[in-house]
Amino acid sequence: MDKPFAITLDPGSSLANRTGSWRTFRPEYLDRLPPCNAACPAGENIQGWLFHAESGDYEKAWQSLVENNPLPAIMGRVCYHPCEGGCNRQHVDSAVGINSVERFLGDEARKQGWKFAPPAASTGKRVLVVGSGPAGLSAAYHLTRLGHQAVIYEAAPLAGGMMRFGIPKYRLPREVLDAEIKRLTDFGVELHLQTKVADVLQAMKDGFDAVFLGVGAHIAKRAYIPAGDANKVLDAVAVLRGMEGHDAPMLGRKVVVYGGGNTAIDVARTARRLGAEEAIIVYRRTRDKMPAHDFEVEEALQEGISIKWLSTIKEAGESDIMVEKMALDDKGFPQPTGEFERIEADSVVLALGQDADLSLLENVPGLVVEGGLIQVDAGMMTGHPGVFAGGDMAGSERTVTVAVGHGKKAARAIDAWLRGEVYAPPPKPEIATIERMNSWYYSDAPKTMRPVLDIIRRQSTFEEVLGGLDESNALFEARRCMSCGNCFECDNCYGVCPDNAVIKLGPGKRFRFNYDYCKGCGICAAECPCGAIRMVAEEN
Amino acid sequence: MSFQPVKFYQTGTFTVGNRLLPPEERSVQASAKRFNSINSGHRACQGCGEALGARYAIDAAMEATDGQVIAANATGCLEVFSTPYPETSWQIPWIHSLFGNTAAVATGIAAALKVKGLSQNPKTRVVAQGGDGGTTDIGFGCLSGMFERNDDVLYICYDNGGYMNTGVQRSSATPPAARTATTMAVGPEPGNVFGQGKFVPAIAMAHNIPYVATATVADLRDLEAKVRRAMEFRGARYIHILVPCPLGWGTPSQDTIKMARLAKETGIFPVFEAEHGEIKSVLAIRRPLPVEDYLRPQKRYAHLFGKTPALATIAHIQELADRNIRKYGLQARKEGH
Ligand SMILES: Cc1cc2nc3c(=O)[nH]c(=O)nc-3n(C[C@H](O)[C@H](O)[C@H](O)COP(=O)(O)OP(=O)(O)OC[C@H]3O[C@@H](n4cnc5c(N)ncnc54)[C@H](O)[C@@H]3O)c2cc1C
Ligand SMILES: Cc1ncc(C[n+]2csc(CCOP(=O)(O)OP(=O)(O)O)c2C)c(N)n1
Ligand code: SF4
Ligand code: SF4
Ligand code: SF4
Ligand SMILES: [Mg+2]
């Protein structure tokens, strides 16, 4: 014993003292579901692809995006981005411009010629896809990824469905559409144009093991309007389809559009670009009841389109129409008032919605049709085994993104069905709500606005209205993402632990708790910005 | 602001690290190789702000001196929870002093370094550390002497607003109205009295020493920058760090950082730095809040929020915060990007 005065023990380290035994709650890392992902009808992992975009790795971001949706450049233009409606950043300043970053990635992919990762090994199965709208394209893409041969039969001379024959060029330039379709055919999707399927079961005899139907809804709904011979009453779908032909439709100087959906808006804006001096939308309910989105209405108003709310068309004369004013009753329904007004009009375009043409299914036993929609199960399968359906023909929420989501879900279910199994989607983790996060840590950063085409050119040309972000803007916008529910390696937990009980595993590897010393104070969980840590009661 | 904030990088410089920043721009605490000057296994309470503040500060000092720090430590929680004989959590040369003389002990170490010629290795620096009791009360004479002689010591005070180690008694840094074991929530004016206050950072400034700063465990980047800055000076330096105490304040253990943040955001605790007696920068309030948001979650102020809330007392505390905001210019500014 050779110790200094009054010292009887060797110095020891406090590491011998396992303070983890004090714990009554333990922290655990977890991934929560970001609300953007939860809101995306195509099931994109938005937080996941933004994570790569944040570090400037746009190709990886794009690759991650197309795992769920093969059409980013299209989505970045026409998707109504419900993801942004769910985005937690709106509780901090304003939602992340997810859609504009998506468009940037889609356009970058076109510029750089990025290709999809190679598909799985061939299964030898062939699946027929009827229709090349977003539902069909998405189903064909996901089937191909899974190793099946997807063959699309499309009645029209060009692919794209309503993305080509509905959505106008000023919102979706056709070279964007063409490029994303070409990437799909390069990937191995077989596309047969001008091949209308009249009888599905007959068509399946071409050696197909299953079929996905995505025929959309193209038959315009009519309303009875007494009309003189001379007056032109047209339907919106036909007018918009006509825009893809050689001769633009003749609508005249004064055009009245009847309806309140996005089709009505698009027809009115198209009429304006075709030279109509006046384009008036007549709609029987109020603005807040309009199915068209607010920003679309806004853009239309900016372009000089006028809207008559609470009005119905009673009759169409030679050069004018008769409109009756409506008033809301106590239940909020429009009722006729008996007050009439005449409006000059060279043509009337009806945009009252579309029904699906289900004639190709006439001989298929077991199908259930309700309210004009084909009924499907959770895996998009109709009442007839092996016949799957999605998109406008199968859903009342009719958007490109919903159609893409249906196509994906159906492809996975078809894949399982071909193996004699039933597709079970992986369980969804709990949502990373803003209450589960600590928004203090996010620095203030207002949303980046996309450039908008000037108003004169918007009234006379079909140039794209909404511009894209450049690289630095897109990077900024991506970095506004708060990575809700998913660790983004901010080192907070590692830094704030008073007991050094968090182990840093290195870039990309996240962290681990050292339960020998963690006292369970919960500071790490409270200070994790994105809510990727939860406290769980210890068993005993 | 004591450091250049990164304008916009997702979480800017608010978080400890940030994978988007080059490693050299991240905090000391973000590094997998940080010193952990005070090691795991210490016996501080769950969620102790003092244990955290000490690691933040001493790790930063170690970083600034290439690991050449000697510390003297006054009696108090920090000393007791880190060094129950024969065990220690300290991974640096560390000397225990008495409750009231740590400034003098540190002065002695600095003098010894000089005499022994060890200051030929100019990186070896001396840090003295103590609680608010050891600093503002019993150790105050030694501290003022250390300032006045401009001894080459960085003194760090960990202010948790009371004598926590001996069971939460009042110190001269205990805020007005707070309940402690010696200022019970009874009588016509429950809790600690509204005295004149004793804000040692201001007293330190009055000594015109090279460097004085305040900091909290809620602003790591600021705290680290201040320790780094302090190490750029020779002579007496003083950093006063607000370290919430879950036990003494009656707050949930997970809210330690949140409480420090609220103290800063309400103006209760001004965060600034001064050189040679002049204020050089302040940490502006980011999201202004009434003092009530800071007081209400703490059990030591529970008597203010009973059946009939003590509105006059709360208003009085608000006045003190408002005075800080005016005096130090803490008003919220627009965050740029
Ligand atoms: C004017 C207008 C604007 C719109 N704007 C938007 C928008 O901005 N954003 C948005 O998300 N959604 C928009 N929509 C809705 C969106 O276009 C549709 O919801 C979507 O295209 C539906 O996709 P789908 O694949 O189900 O059908 P469709 O896109 O309609 O495609 C169906 C395809 O099947 C083909 N087909 C049909 N029958 C047969 C057959 N028997 N044999 C072979 N092929 C057949 C058709 O030719 C067509 O190509 C808009 C719709 C319209 C009309
Ligand atoms: C001269 C003397 N008086 C009293 C004590 C008992 N004592 C030990 S620590 C302490 C209070 C410490 O308070 P503070 O300095 O604020 O540190 P904290 O524990 O709050 O961190 C007291 C009174 C002592 N050690 N020496
Ligand atoms: S902040 Fe990011 S992860 Fe969170 S909801 Fe918005 S886009 Fe999604
Ligand atoms: S901060 Fe540390 S001690 Fe507290 S719960 Fe988290 S890991 Fe455990
Ligand atoms: S605090 Fe930061 S590093 Fe820790 S889990 Fe949360 S996001 Fe990841
Ligand atoms: Mg104290």
mmCIF file of all heavy atoms in Angstrom, chain B residues 50 131-133 158 160-164, ligand 6:
data_model
loop_
_atom_site.group_PDB
_atom_site.id
_atom_site.type_symbol
_atom_site.label_atom_id
_atom_site.label_comp_id
_atom_site.label_asym_id
_atom_site.label_seq_id
_atom_site.Cartn_x
_atom_site.Cartn_y
_atom_site.Cartn_z
ATOM 1 N N GLU B 50 -27.337 21.126 -14.574
ATOM 2 C CA GLU B 50 -25.963 21.465 -14.192
ATOM 3 C C GLU B 50 -24.968 20.466 -14.791
ATOM 4 O O GLU B 50 -23.918 20.848 -15.325
ATOM 5 C CB GLU B 50 -25.838 21.480 -12.669
ATOM 6 C CG GLU B 50 -24.529 22.082 -12.191
ATOM 7 C CD GLU B 50 -24.588 22.447 -10.706
ATOM 8 O OE1 GLU B 50 -24.584 21.546 -9.861
ATOM 9 O OE2 GLU B 50 -24.671 23.650 -10.417
ATOM 10 N N GLY B 131 -21.450 26.519 -8.008
ATOM 11 C CA GLY B 131 -22.870 26.823 -8.114
ATOM 12 C C GLY B 131 -23.136 28.282 -7.793
ATOM 13 O O GLY B 131 -22.214 29.047 -7.477
ATOM 14 N N ASP B 132 -24.389 28.669 -7.866
ATOM 15 C CA ASP B 132 -24.714 30.071 -7.580
ATOM 16 C C ASP B 132 -24.461 30.392 -6.105
ATOM 17 O O ASP B 132 -24.019 31.488 -5.772
ATOM 18 C CB ASP B 132 -26.161 30.395 -7.963
ATOM 19 C CG ASP B 132 -27.151 29.398 -7.378
ATOM 20 O OD1 ASP B 132 -27.106 28.226 -7.804
ATOM 21 O OD2 ASP B 132 -27.952 29.782 -6.511
ATOM 22 N N GLY B 133 -24.703 29.419 -5.225
ATOM 23 C CA GLY B 133 -24.440 29.669 -3.808
ATOM 24 C C GLY B 133 -22.963 29.917 -3.578
ATOM 25 O O GLY B 133 -22.554 30.918 -2.974
ATOM 26 N N TYR B 158 -22.567 27.950 -12.368
ATOM 27 C CA TYR B 158 -23.747 27.213 -12.821
ATOM 28 C C TYR B 158 -24.906 27.620 -11.923
ATOM 29 O O TYR B 158 -24.990 27.199 -10.772
ATOM 30 C CB TYR B 158 -23.501 25.703 -12.746
ATOM 31 C CG TYR B 158 -22.309 25.275 -13.586
ATOM 32 C CD1 TYR B 158 -21.083 24.964 -12.993
ATOM 33 C CD2 TYR B 158 -22.405 25.193 -14.973
ATOM 34 C CE1 TYR B 158 -20.000 24.586 -13.762
ATOM 35 C CE2 TYR B 158 -21.318 24.827 -15.754
ATOM 36 C CZ TYR B 158 -20.113 24.520 -15.138
ATOM 37 O OH TYR B 158 -19.044 24.156 -15.905
ATOM 38 N N ASN B 160 -28.439 27.541 -10.679
ATOM 39 C CA ASN B 160 -29.725 26.850 -10.647
ATOM 40 C C ASN B 160 -30.651 27.494 -9.621
ATOM 41 O O ASN B 160 -31.681 26.943 -9.257
ATOM 42 C CB ASN B 160 -29.553 25.344 -10.390
ATOM 43 C CG ASN B 160 -28.711 25.068 -9.162
ATOM 44 O OD1 ASN B 160 -28.535 25.950 -8.320
ATOM 45 N ND2 ASN B 160 -28.188 23.858 -9.042
ATOM 46 N N GLY B 161 -30.262 28.675 -9.162
ATOM 47 C CA GLY B 161 -31.166 29.470 -8.349
ATOM 48 C C GLY B 161 -31.351 28.978 -6.927
ATOM 49 O O GLY B 161 -32.431 29.186 -6.357
ATOM 50 N N GLY B 162 -30.347 28.349 -6.360
ATOM 51 C CA GLY B 162 -30.498 27.950 -4.967
ATOM 52 C C GLY B 162 -29.416 26.994 -4.527
ATOM 53 O O GLY B 162 -28.582 26.567 -5.328
ATOM 54 N N TYR B 163 -29.421 26.700 -3.245
ATOM 55 C CA TYR B 163 -28.500 25.706 -2.681
ATOM 56 C C TYR B 163 -29.148 24.358 -2.897
ATOM 57 O O TYR B 163 -29.813 23.827 -2.014
ATOM 58 C CB TYR B 163 -28.314 25.933 -1.179
ATOM 59 C CG TYR B 163 -27.545 27.159 -0.747
ATOM 60 C CD1 TYR B 163 -27.287 28.200 -1.617
ATOM 61 C CD2 TYR B 163 -27.069 27.259 0.555
ATOM 62 C CE1 TYR B 163 -26.570 29.329 -1.209
ATOM 63 C CE2 TYR B 163 -26.364 28.373 0.985
ATOM 64 C CZ TYR B 163 -26.116 29.412 0.100
ATOM 65 O OH TYR B 163 -25.432 30.506 0.518
ATOM 66 N N MET B 164 -28.958 23.792 -4.034
ATOM 67 C CA MET B 164 -29.703 22.580 -4.356
ATOM 68 C C MET B 164 -29.109 21.369 -3.661
ATOM 69 O O MET B 164 -29.831 20.471 -3.229
ATOM 70 C CB MET B 164 -29.731 22.376 -5.869
ATOM 71 C CG MET B 164 -30.386 23.539 -6.612
ATOM 72 S SD MET B 164 -31.923 24.082 -5.814
ATOM 73 C CE MET B 164 -32.541 25.245 -7.022
HETATM 74 MG MG MG C 6 -27.206 26.411 -6.873
#
